[in-house]
Amino acid sequence: MNCVPQASCCSAGALQWSGSGACTGLAPVRPGAAALVRLLPLLWAFLQCHHLRCPSRSLMSSGVPGKAGSSLLLYLIVGGTVTGTGAYACGGILFFRAGLGRFPSPGAQPEVPSHVPFLLIGGGTAAFAAARSIRARDPGARVLIVSEDPALPYMRPPLSKELWFSDDPNVTETLRFRQWNGKERSIYFQPPSFYVPVRDLPYVENGGVAVLCGKKVVHMDVRGNTVKLSDGTQISYDKCLIATGGSPRNLPAIERAGKDVQQRLTLFRKIEDYKKLEKISREVKSITIIGGGFLGSELACALGRRARTRGLEVIQLFPENGNMGKVLPEYLSNWTTEKVRREGVNVMPNAVVKSVSVSGKRLVIKLKDGRKVETDHIVAAVGLEPNVELAKSAGLEVDSDFGGFRVNAELQARSNIWVAGDAACFYDIKLGRRRVEHHDHAVVSGRLAGENMTGAAKPYWHQSMFWSDLGPNVGYEAIGLVDSSLPTVGVFAKATAKDTPKSATEQSGTGIRSESETEAEASEVHVSPSSSPAPQVPKQGEDYGKGVIFYLRDKVVVGIVLWNIFNRMPIARKIIKDGEEHDDLNEVAKLFNIHED
């Protein structure tokens, strides 16, 4: 590029840029203070010239920028030698820029950076928690999240909980909801203004977090520290987190069915699934939910509310004896089933799907025991399959028992690769190898991975919790290994008006209850005889108002469910961490104050 200053403002030095980019019109000057003084007016005229432009893009710095317009000609070196970019050679005078403050011109600025220090694959809770953790420990860090989801990072629990209880007719567009405590919040972790535009990430002052939405990482070269996106874009990294989460499982019987069945099926996981199901619930007469776990039971209760107000038929079927049959002891599972039925849901336990077909305008579900169910739409809530497609190209190990990427106690799969969230099969130093699919685990593991990506080298010792609400009046929180196949001891007491999820959020100030309890742990747990009346294990048929269920392995408590007991998770966490045998769990239950009015 040629730049020829006009005589009116540049005549003092008669400066000209040659076609090669070299400055002409100046004779070599020997070093010395006198020479430098003589050149100062010339330098000032050079700086003030409004005709002067950079001779080449190669002369502009690619370093960390400052504010716009701060790239000034700061140094005049006479008779010296300087290596590197951003230098201007004018005879014996070398000018170079030191402000490093301009963004590249739009034409030269790539849409996606070719290199990022921190690359996070996946745009869910774990990735967002890691990004926040990385920035907390390294305020200047530049973090790129690559997400298949078209939306910015958001929390999933409200998709099957509070959003369904909103009275706002525009809730599917605003995605704002009232928590059980009445406070309103958005489903998104942060507004768009929180994030840096992807193309600006390498240049913005003090770094930031950028999200590349709607893109999938399809190949990972761990030796070359690069990934390839579905559109062919390649990105290199210094450190990488895999937080790819999981995909909803489908039933083989539904997979074998034709397209007519597939078009009337929802595999519930994302915002789009919530919007789709909410719209369908207003248009059809019958919805059948297959699955009796957390998600299936929550959706059944949420849709059951519409069964009463809009005449919608809601059916829930599953192979277990009762709702939450894989988690809760049988007596409490049976009670939960009756609770769901009271919400207006036709619950069908011991139901195994044999086939699904279309008859006329309706779906027909045939069960193995000969029963038939007619419905308009099916929601399959039968678990999650961890997304481990990158394992093959990356050469990473997938756990054969639990699924997911196999990592150590520090969530490392390689020296500069970590895994967090649903896709991580990690080593729990208290409970052994595990894979957990809950919101709080995504928060905890994402935070830990982010800390370790910035040098913390901390093991996963924290027991994440999870919770489920069957509406605003019945809910539970759990921690550790909660499996109905383990021996359990339940201790219950009469509930009061404050023993509800709604009351719990009023006390904690947050609808996502783990946010207020994630780091908390009781400093001491001391079990001793008490003069207060011991809570008694209820008999079959009694109302399970509130209580504690202990899950045992080799006589040691490895899991705890707090039934309509809230804000006591630090105590439960401490009990599991201590790993002690207890002669009388009635006494341990008193630590949770369940007999208080």
Side-chain angles (χ1 to χ4, degrees):
M1 178 174 65
N2 296 324
C3 179
V4 182
Q6 301 298 313
S8 60
C9 61
C10 300
S11 57
L15 298 178
Q16 280 190 323
W17 288 106
S18 69
S20 63
C23 181
T24 63
L26 288 177
V29 182
R30 292 184 179 182
L36 183 60
V37 170
R38 289 198 302 272
L39 285 171
L40 286 178
L42 175 63
L43 174 60
W44 179 249
F46 187 86
L47 287 172
Q48 297 301 310
C49 174
H50 66 276
H51 301 287
L52 191 61
R53 295 293 184 269
C54 296
S56 169
R57 280 288 309 159
S58 65
L59 299 182
M60 291 203 61
S61 167
S62 60
V64 180
K67 296 179 180 179
S70 65
S71 288
L72 299 178
L73 196 61
L74 297 182
Y75 296 99
L76 172 64
I77 298 179
V78 181
T81 300
V82 177
T83 59
T85 60
Y88 295 63
C90 298
I93 304 173
L94 188 68
F95 299 98
F96 69 95
R97 295 181 181 271
L100 309 181
R102 294 186 187 274
F103 282 79
S105 62
Q109 191 172 334
E111 291 295 328
V112 179
S114 60
H115 176 81
V116 290
F118 296 96
L119 176 66
L120 313 184
I121 304 175
T125 299
F128 179 79
R132 189 162 53 184
S133 181
I134 290 169
R135 291 278 297 167
R137 288 175 54 87
D138 181 0
R142 301 171 192 276
V143 183
L144 176 64
I145 297 174
V146 179
S147 174
E148 285 187 67
D149 203 306
L152 292 172
Y154 59 89
M155 60 189 78
R156 297 190 192 277
L159 295 179
S160 59
K161 295 182 177 72
E162 294 94 337
L163 283 173
W164 290 96
F165 292 84
S166 173
D167 294 324
D168 181 3
N170 299 316
V171 65
T172 56
E173 298 303 322
T174 64
L175 295 175
R176 297 188 63 85
F177 61 94
R178 290 193 179 277
Q179 303 166 137
W180 301 143
N181 62 6
K183 294 182 180 179
E184 187 178 89
R185 71 180 297 173
S186 170
I187 195 173
Y188 294 99
F189 289 114
Q190 291 289 348
S193 59
F194 171 84
Y195 302 97
V196 173
V198 174
R199 65 184 302 170
D200 295 343
L201 182 62
Y203 312 105
V204 291
E205 189 174 13
N206 299 324
V209 179
V211 183
L212 183 60
C213 294
K215 300 292 183 180
K216 182 178 181 179
V217 175
V218 296
H219 187 273
M220 191 170 186
D221 179 1
V222 297
R223 284 190 171 185
N225 292 338
T226 61
V227 299
K228 184 167 70 173
L229 307 187
S230 52
D231 61 3
T233 301
Q234 291 193 353
I235 305 172
S236 64
Y237 59 85
D238 295 329
K239 297 180 180 180
C240 178
L241 172 71
I242 300 175
T244 47
S247 300
R249 290 193 181 103
N250 200 352
L251 288 174
I254 298 178
E255 290 178 336
R256 293 192 300 265
K259 290 185 178 180
D260 290 343
V261 172
Q262 305 292 339
Q263 292 173 351
R264 304 184 190 186
L265 168 71
T266 296
L267 298 176
F268 199 90
R269 177 69 172 168
K270 301 179 179 180
I271 288 177
E272 289 77 9
D273 303 325
Y274 160 72
K275 291 183 176 181
K276 173 185 174 182
L277 186 59
E278 201 280 338
K279 182 175 184 293
I280 288 171
S281 70
R282 298 174 181 272
E283 299 172 346
V284 302
K285 295 181 179 180
S286 173
I287 294 178
T288 296
I289 300 167
I290 302 176
F294 299 103
L295 179 60
S297 298
E298 289 172 359
L299 287 175
C301 286
L303 289 170
R305 180 172 181 252
R306 300 193 172 184
R308 297 192 303 268
T309 59
R310 299 178 188 173
L312 175 68
E313 179 187 39
V314 180
I315 303 168
Q316 184 188 19
L317 54 89
F318 44 79
E320 295 81 27
N321 294 329
N323 288 76
M324 308 301 302
K326 292 183 178 180
V327 175
L328 300 177
E330 185 177 1
Y331 62 87
L332 197 53
S333 172
N334 293 338
W335 186 92
T336 303
T337 300
E338 293 305 315
K339 162 65 179 175
V340 176
R341 282 176 174 151
R342 291 195 297 270
E343 293 295 322
V345 180
N346 177 13
V347 182
M348 300 176 62
N350 304 304
V352 179
V353 177
K354 181 180 180 180
S355 66
V356 182
S357 60
V358 177
S359 177
K361 295 183 178 180
R362 307 209 78 191
L363 295 173
V364 178
I365 304 171
K366 292 184 179 180
L367 306 180
K368 286 190 175 181
D369 61 6
R371 289 179 292 174
K372 293 183 180 180
V373 176
E374 291 191 6
T375 190
D376 297 318
H377 193 82
I378 294 175
V379 179
V382 291
L384 203 66
E385 193 69 34
N387 293 328
V388 293
E389 294 91 344
L390 289 175
K392 186 175 181 179
S393 63
L396 301 178
E397 182 181 4
V398 175
D399 191 87
S400 58
D401 295 324
F402 299 97
F405 296 95
R406 193 176 176 94
V407 295
N408 62 18
E410 295 177 11
L411 304 182
Q412 271 184 308
R414 288 287 189 277
S415 60
N416 66 336
I417 299 175
W418 288 258
V419 187
D422 300 336
C425 181
F426 62 99
Y427 182 75
D428 186 319
I429 60 177
K430 294 299 296 183
L431 302 177
R433 189 153 293 279
R434 304 174 64 195
R435 191 175 68 83
V436 181
E437 299 175 358
H438 296 294
H439 173 85
D440 188 52
H441 169 69
V443 173
V444 172
S445 62
R447 180 187 295 116
L448 177 63
E451 291 176 352
N452 288 342
M453 291 173 79
T454 51
K458 293 167 59 177
Y460 188 105
W461 63 265
H462 175 85
Q463 290 299 323
S464 61
M465 56 90 76
F466 62 92
W467 77 100
S468 183
D469 295 336
L470 304 178
N473 297 318
V474 176
Y476 57 89
E477 299 176 350
I479 191 170
L481 298 180
V482 181
D483 186 333
S484 60
S485 65
L486 293 172
T488 62
V489 175
V491 184
F492 291 81
K494 185 177 180 180
T496 66
K498 66 180 181 179
D499 300 315
T500 64
K502 180 179 180 180
S503 177
T505 56
E506 288 173 349
Q507 294 178 42
S508 66
T510 173
I512 307 299
R513 294 198 292 275
S514 61
E515 291 179 354
S516 63
E517 301 188 41
T518 292
E519 293 297 340
E521 177 185 307
S523 58
E524 183 179 358
V525 170
H526 181 63
V527 179
S528 60
S530 173
S531 58
S532 59
Q536 298 298 316
V537 179
K539 298 178 181 179
Q540 187 69 32
E542 292 186 2
D543 183 27
Y544 302 100
K546 63 178 178 179
V548 184
I549 301 97
F550 300 98
Y551 293 73
L552 308 176
R553 186 172 66 185
D554 299 326
K555 299 182 180 181
V556 174
V557 176
V558 294
I560 296 175
V561 167
L562 302 181
W563 184 262
N564 269 345
I565 295 176
F566 308 99
N567 303 316
R568 297 286 190 276
M569 193 51 64
I571 299 172
R573 186 171 287 121
K574 178 64 173 174
I575 291 171
I576 293 178
K577 184 179 180 181
D578 288 347
E580 299 176 355
E581 291 188 25
H582 297 281
D583 295 330
D584 188 356
L585 288 173
N586 277 326
E587 293 298 326
V588 179
K590 294 177 182 178
L591 296 170
F592 298 93
N593 299 324
I594 68 172
H595 53 277
E596 288 186 352
D597 294 332

